[in-house]
């Protein structure tokens, strides 16, 4: 029996040390109160106030809480006696330490631990219809920043394995910068109004921070910690690849770059854990799991997980090939820089956006004609089949505009095609490199194949980069439209500038200069080379204007 008690006590001391300390404090004080009350009651002398046990116990507690209450027991030392006076003083001293001091210390420590646990993310969050971001990288803050433009207040929980304070600072600075910039724009819009009118107008349209972000530090593979952030009630879960830019050791950084280029096993592991939770019957319906994909190996395994774990009406797993999409967009911006205005709005929550909904199957022409017959608040784009479902896609300011009906004015019109139309030649200079180079070149290849005529390339590209990066791309030999590659370090200013200047002068058509930022660089080096290249290009344009005041500065489009 004694051994079992010792074993139980030992286990509780390890598993619940705080509760055990509180139990010992309370037990000691209860015994101390009882003993003190018995002693005080016994020492009450004949001829003075005779105290019963209950009254002595109450006096003991009041003396401990307020030492001045000793007068209720010792009214006059000469009458009461020195013994009970000493006992009362000892009770006060011990009680102040064992009861008042211990309890206050325990409560203070409990409050401190409560705050610490809340800050570290150990408390369960009871949320619903929120966004969850698992892991962190250089693109994550922009995801949260774009939610500022949402019509409703958004809640975002970020779960990362480390760097909680650093990430919180990054988010705060990013959001504050956007809010300040938008509010300056609002103030500028009404700067011609009188002071009072301007104040009311600015207050009405003031841009507000309507995103609540909670960053938790923990294990993204832990089912408990995922449940603690109410993953099963989330509106959408975004699984990002871990950032390799925050590595301090350059050797470790190089190893992580090589490993990430082959595949991302952590993404696979995270997706399996998340899909198990979201596919459960108790989880919310129609949850979306967006998975960032940067390589073919990860994409192949994600597609297998979709086949095995995706549950219709519960979790919808959406793989996003980030490098491929961004690479194609960058190549399109080089060929048609004006697209930047459309993409920056349509791919964000600001202004008009892409919208989709389930739709009875129709061919694109019938779909557009039928929609335009009764609507003029949104633009129908296309219809698309996915499995057994058909979706219609629109461009609109909000969901309500898609179904807003109105009378549409009709008139006869003719459309004719200019069959001999052909695009002018596109000239591009690529400065630097990043992980999207092959996808960027794929975009140029698709455009070249579409518009090539009589074997003549419609795209002419010059690549300026360091020797190591050019060797990695085999000096772009597989791309016939790359007419020249130039080995130049960022410090070879004259070589870079002379190459660009010469290429621009040799071509009558506009030239696009694509400046790439190395996304595999260490944090302290990110964008450094891209900004230096931007200064070089800006300097070239300035010099050309000085040499020829009539030079069209817009003939050089700079994409950064």
């Amino acid at each position: 029996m004694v051994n079992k008690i010792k074993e139980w006590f030992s286990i509780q001391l390890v598993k619940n040390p705080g509760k055990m300390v509180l139990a010992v404090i309370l037990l000691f004080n209860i015994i101390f109160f009882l003993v003190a009350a018995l002693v005080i009651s016994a020492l009450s002398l004949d001829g003075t106030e005779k105290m019963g046990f209950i009254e002595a116990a109450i006096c003991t507690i009041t003396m401990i809480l307020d030492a001045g209450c000793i007068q209720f027991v010792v009214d006059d030392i000469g009458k009461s006696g020195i013994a009970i006076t000493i006992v009362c003083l000892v009770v006060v001293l011990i009680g102040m330490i064992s009861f008042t001091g211990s309890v206050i210390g325990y409560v203070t420590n409990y409050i401190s631990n409560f705050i610490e646990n809340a800050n570290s993310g150990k408390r369960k969050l009871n949320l619903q219809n929120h966004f969850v971001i698992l892991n962190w990288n250089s693109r994550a803050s922009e995801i949260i920043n774009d939610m500022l433009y949402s019509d409703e207040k958004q809640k975002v929980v970020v779960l990362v394995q480390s760097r909680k304070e650093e990430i919180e600072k990054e988010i705060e600075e990013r959001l504050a910068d956007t809010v300040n910039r938008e509010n300056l724009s609002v103030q500028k819009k009404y700067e011609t109004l009188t002071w009072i009118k301007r104040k009311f107008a600015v207050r009405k349209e003031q841009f507000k921070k309507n995103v609540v972000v909670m960053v938790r530090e923990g294990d993204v593979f832990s089912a408990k910690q995922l449940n603690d952030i109410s993953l099963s009630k989330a509106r959408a879960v975004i699984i990002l690849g871990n950032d390799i830019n925050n590595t301090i050791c350059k050797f470790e950084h190089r190893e992580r770059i090589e490993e990430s280029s082959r595949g991302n096993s952590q993404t696979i592991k995270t997706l399996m854990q998340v899909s198990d939770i979201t596919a459960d019957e108790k989880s919310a319906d129609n949850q979306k799991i967006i998975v960032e994909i940067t390589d073919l190996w990860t994409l192949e395994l994600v597609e297998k997980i979709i086949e095995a774990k995706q549950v219709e009406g519960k979790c919808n797993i959406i793989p996003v090939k980030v490098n491929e999409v961004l690479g194609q967009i960058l190549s399109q911006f080089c060929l048609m820089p004006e697209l930047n205005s459309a993409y920056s709005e349509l791919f964000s929550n600001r202004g008009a956006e892409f919208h989709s909904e389930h739709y009875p199957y129709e061919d694109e022409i019938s779909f557009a004609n039928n929609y335009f017959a009764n609507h003029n608040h949104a633009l129908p784009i296309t219809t698309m089949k996915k499995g057994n479902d058909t979706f219609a896609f629109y461009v609109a300011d909000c969901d309500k505009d898609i179904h807003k009906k109105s009378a549409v004015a009709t008139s006869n019109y003719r459309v004719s095609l200019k069959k001999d139309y052909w695009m002018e030649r596109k000239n591009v200079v690529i400065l630097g490199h990043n992980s999207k180079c092959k996808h960027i070149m794929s975009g140029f290849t698709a455009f070249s194949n579409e518009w090539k005529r009589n074997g003549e390339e419609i795209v002419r590209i010059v690549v300026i980069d360091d020797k190591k990066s050019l060797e990695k791309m085999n000096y772009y030999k597989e791309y016939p439209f790359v007419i020249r590659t130039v080995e130049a370090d960022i410090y070879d200013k004259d070589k870079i500038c002379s190459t660009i200047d010469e290429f621009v002068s040799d071509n009558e058509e506009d030239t696009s200069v694509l400046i790439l930022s190395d996304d595999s660089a260490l944090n302290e080096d990110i964008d450094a080379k891209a900004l230096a290249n931007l200064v070089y290009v800006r300097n070239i344009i300035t010099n050309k204007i000085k040499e020829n005041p009539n030079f069209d500065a817009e003939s050089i489009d700079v994409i950064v």
Side-chain angles (χ1 to χ4, degrees):
M1 186 64 181
V2 175
N3 289 334
K4 285 187 176 181
I5 294 174
K6 287 181 177 180
E7 182 181 304
W8 177 86
F9 185 81
S10 178
I11 292 172
Q12 295 304 316
L13 196 60
V14 171
K15 293 185 68 66
N16 303 298
K19 292 180 180 179
M20 290 302 293
V21 169
L22 179 62
V24 170
I25 290 173
L26 294 176
L27 181 63
F28 174 82
N29 279 286
I30 290 170
I31 294 173
F32 175 71
F33 290 154
L34 293 174
V35 172
L38 287 170
V39 172
I40 291 173
S41 178
L43 289 177
S44 296
L45 304 176
D46 295 334
T48 63
E49 181 183 2
K50 178 66 179 175
M51 284 190 176
F53 174 76
I54 300 298
E55 191 177 359
I58 294 172
C59 287
T60 301
I61 295 173
T62 54
M63 282 191 298
I64 291 172
L65 297 177
D66 183 0
C69 292
I70 196 173
Q71 63 182 349
F72 296 131
V73 180
V74 183
D75 188 26
D76 185 342
I77 296 177
K79 294 180 180 179
S80 301
I82 195 69
I84 194 170
T85 303
I86 293 173
V87 168
C88 288
L89 290 174
V90 170
V91 168
V92 170
L93 289 174
I94 296 176
M96 289 176 66
I97 296 171
S98 67
F99 179 72
T100 311
S102 299
V103 171
I104 290 174
Y106 181 86
V107 172
T108 303
N109 186 61
Y110 180 83
I111 294 172
S112 177
N113 286 337
F114 182 87
I115 296 172
E116 184 180 343
N117 289 338
N119 287 333
S120 62
K122 294 180 181 178
R123 297 285 172 188
K124 183 177 176 62
L125 291 173
N126 293 307
L127 300 173
Q128 57 184 357
N129 202 36
H130 58 294
F131 293 91
V132 172
I133 297 178
L134 302 178
N135 298 323
W136 193 258
N137 59 29
S138 57
R139 291 173 289 278
S141 60
E142 187 55 39
I143 297 172
I144 298 174
N145 183 70
D146 195 57
M147 292 181 185
L148 284 172
Y149 297 98
S150 181
D151 295 331
E152 302 174 353
K153 193 164 187 174
Q154 304 295 346
K155 298 159 290 186
V156 183
V157 179
V158 181
L159 181 60
V160 291
Q161 292 182 325
S162 60
R163 300 168 54 229
K164 176 179 182 287
E165 291 78 14
E166 185 181 333
I167 290 169
E168 286 177 331
K169 183 180 178 183
E170 180 184 341
I171 295 170
E172 184 61 33
E173 290 179 353
R174 185 73 182 89
L175 298 184
D177 180 64
T178 301
V179 171
N180 291 336
R181 186 176 65 251
E182 292 295 335
N183 283 332
L184 285 174
S185 177
V186 172
Q187 291 174 11
K188 189 175 181 179
K189 179 180 177 182
Y190 296 108
E191 62 184 0
T192 57
L193 298 178
T194 60
W195 184 84
I196 296 178
K197 288 184 177 180
R198 186 171 68 250
K199 283 290 183 183
F200 278 104
V202 169
R203 181 180 291 274
K204 185 178 180 181
E205 293 189 24
Q206 188 176 26
F207 195 80
K208 297 178 181 178
K209 182 181 173 183
N210 63 339
V211 179
V212 178
V213 185
M214 292 153 280
V215 181
R216 309 283 294 260
E217 198 170 276
D219 187 356
V220 296
F221 310 126
S222 167
K224 179 187 180 301
Q225 293 189 37
L226 291 175
N227 284 318
D228 282 349
I229 59 174
S230 299
L231 187 79
S232 61
K233 301 292 178 64
R235 177 177 173 183
V237 182
I238 303 171
I239 301 175
L240 300 176
N242 276 321
D243 209 340
I244 61 174
N245 305 100
N246 61 348
T247 310
I248 297 176
C249 175
K250 290 189 176 181
F251 295 104
E252 182 187 349
H253 182 250
R254 194 179 301 120
E255 288 178 2
R256 289 177 65 179
I257 291 175
E258 293 175 359
E259 185 178 346
S260 64
S261 65
R262 293 195 296 268
N264 195 331
S265 57
Q266 287 188 329
T267 295
I268 301 302
K269 184 178 177 182
T270 307
L271 176 59
M272 292 180 73
Q273 187 69 281
V274 169
S275 60
D276 279 342
I277 296 173
T278 55
D280 190 84
E281 290 182 2
K282 296 180 181 178
S283 68
D285 294 333
N286 299 315
Q287 287 183 289
K288 302 176 187 68
I289 305 173
I290 295 92
V291 188
E292 183 183 55
I293 307 293
T294 56
D295 59 90
L296 292 175
W297 181 86
T298 306
L299 176 62
E300 184 180 344
L301 290 187
V302 167
E303 288 175 343
K304 292 184 181 300
I305 293 174
I306 292 174
E307 292 176 9
K309 289 185 173 289
Q310 182 163 283
V311 178
E312 196 68 30
K314 278 294 176 183
C315 65
N316 183 21
I317 303 172
I318 306 167
V320 179
K321 296 177 277 187
V322 175
N323 285 349
E324 182 177 328
V325 172
L326 292 178
Q328 291 171 349
I329 289 175
L330 285 172
S331 63
Q332 288 183 1
F333 286 176
C334 292
L335 300 168
M336 302 174 190
E338 298 80 6
L339 282 175
N340 181 40
S341 300
Y343 273 92
S344 61
E345 179 166 311
L346 293 173
F347 280 170
S348 74
N349 287 309
R350 183 180 186 181
E353 306 154 11
F354 287 117
H355 296 267
S356 67
E357 64 176 358
H358 284 276
Y359 194 83
Y361 183 73
E362 283 185 289
D363 63 85
E364 291 173 322
I365 296 175
S366 300
F367 162 65
N369 287 336
N370 292 338
Y371 187 82
F372 277 131
N374 299 301
H375 304 81
N376 65 355
H377 293 278
L379 292 175
I381 303 298
T382 187
T383 58
M384 187 179 297
K385 267 188 170 293
K386 183 184 178 185
N388 297 323
D389 292 330
T390 306
F391 295 91
F393 296 88
Y394 311 83
V395 170
D397 283 334
C398 63
D399 286 326
K400 294 179 181 178
D401 287 346
I402 297 173
H403 303 289
K404 193 183 292 183
K405 291 190 175 183
S406 57
V408 180
T410 59
S411 60
N412 295 326
Y413 59 89
R414 284 188 63 192
V415 175
S416 60
L417 297 179
K418 185 179 179 182
K419 295 184 179 180
D420 60 345
Y421 170 78
W422 209 254
M423 295 189 99
E424 66 176 16
R425 191 170 64 189
K426 303 292 182 179
N427 305 304
V428 181
V429 177
I430 299 178
L431 277 171
H433 63 273
N434 62 20
S435 60
K436 305 161 192 66
C437 282
K438 289 188 177 181
H439 300 294
I440 293 171
M441 300 312 292
S442 295
F444 287 127
T445 301
F447 182 82
S448 175
N449 293 338
E450 181 75 18
W451 289 92
K452 187 186 294 184
R453 183 164 56 178
N454 300 326
E456 182 182 352
E457 293 291 348
I458 194 171
V459 185
R460 286 162 53 92
I461 297 178
V462 171
V463 181
I464 305 173
D465 205 353
D466 60 77
K467 183 178 180 180
K468 185 177 179 181
S469 299
L470 288 175
E471 287 177 347
K472 188 175 181 181
M473 291 293 294
N474 194 25
Y475 288 86
Y476 294 83
K477 291 178 182 178
E478 64 179 288
Y479 307 105
F481 44 80
V482 177
I483 61 173
R484 186 183 177 192
T485 57
V486 178
E487 292 181 8
D489 193 78
I490 190 65
Y491 305 106
D492 297 330
K493 176 189 171 186
D494 294 338
K495 195 173 185 180
I496 293 172
C497 292
S498 62
T499 301
I500 297 174
D501 194 15
E502 179 184 341
F503 187 68
V504 171
S505 300
D506 289 347
N507 294 283
E508 296 179 359
E509 304 89 2
D510 289 358
T511 299
S512 294
V513 180
L514 174 60
I515 300 174
L516 298 177
S517 181
D518 185 6
D519 51 2
S520 65
L522 291 168
N523 271 351
E524 60 267 25
D525 298 327
I526 284 180
D527 291 339
K529 293 181 179 180
L531 291 172
N533 280 324
L534 180 59
V535 173
Y536 293 161
V537 175
R538 180 68 254 179
N539 189 55
I540 291 170
I541 297 173
T542 303
N543 289 338
K544 282 191 170 292
I545 293 174
K546 287 180 180 177
E547 294 170 4
N548 178 15
N550 295 322
F551 175 76
D552 182 12
E554 294 184 2
S555 65
I556 301 179
D557 298 298
V558 185
I559 298 94
V560 187

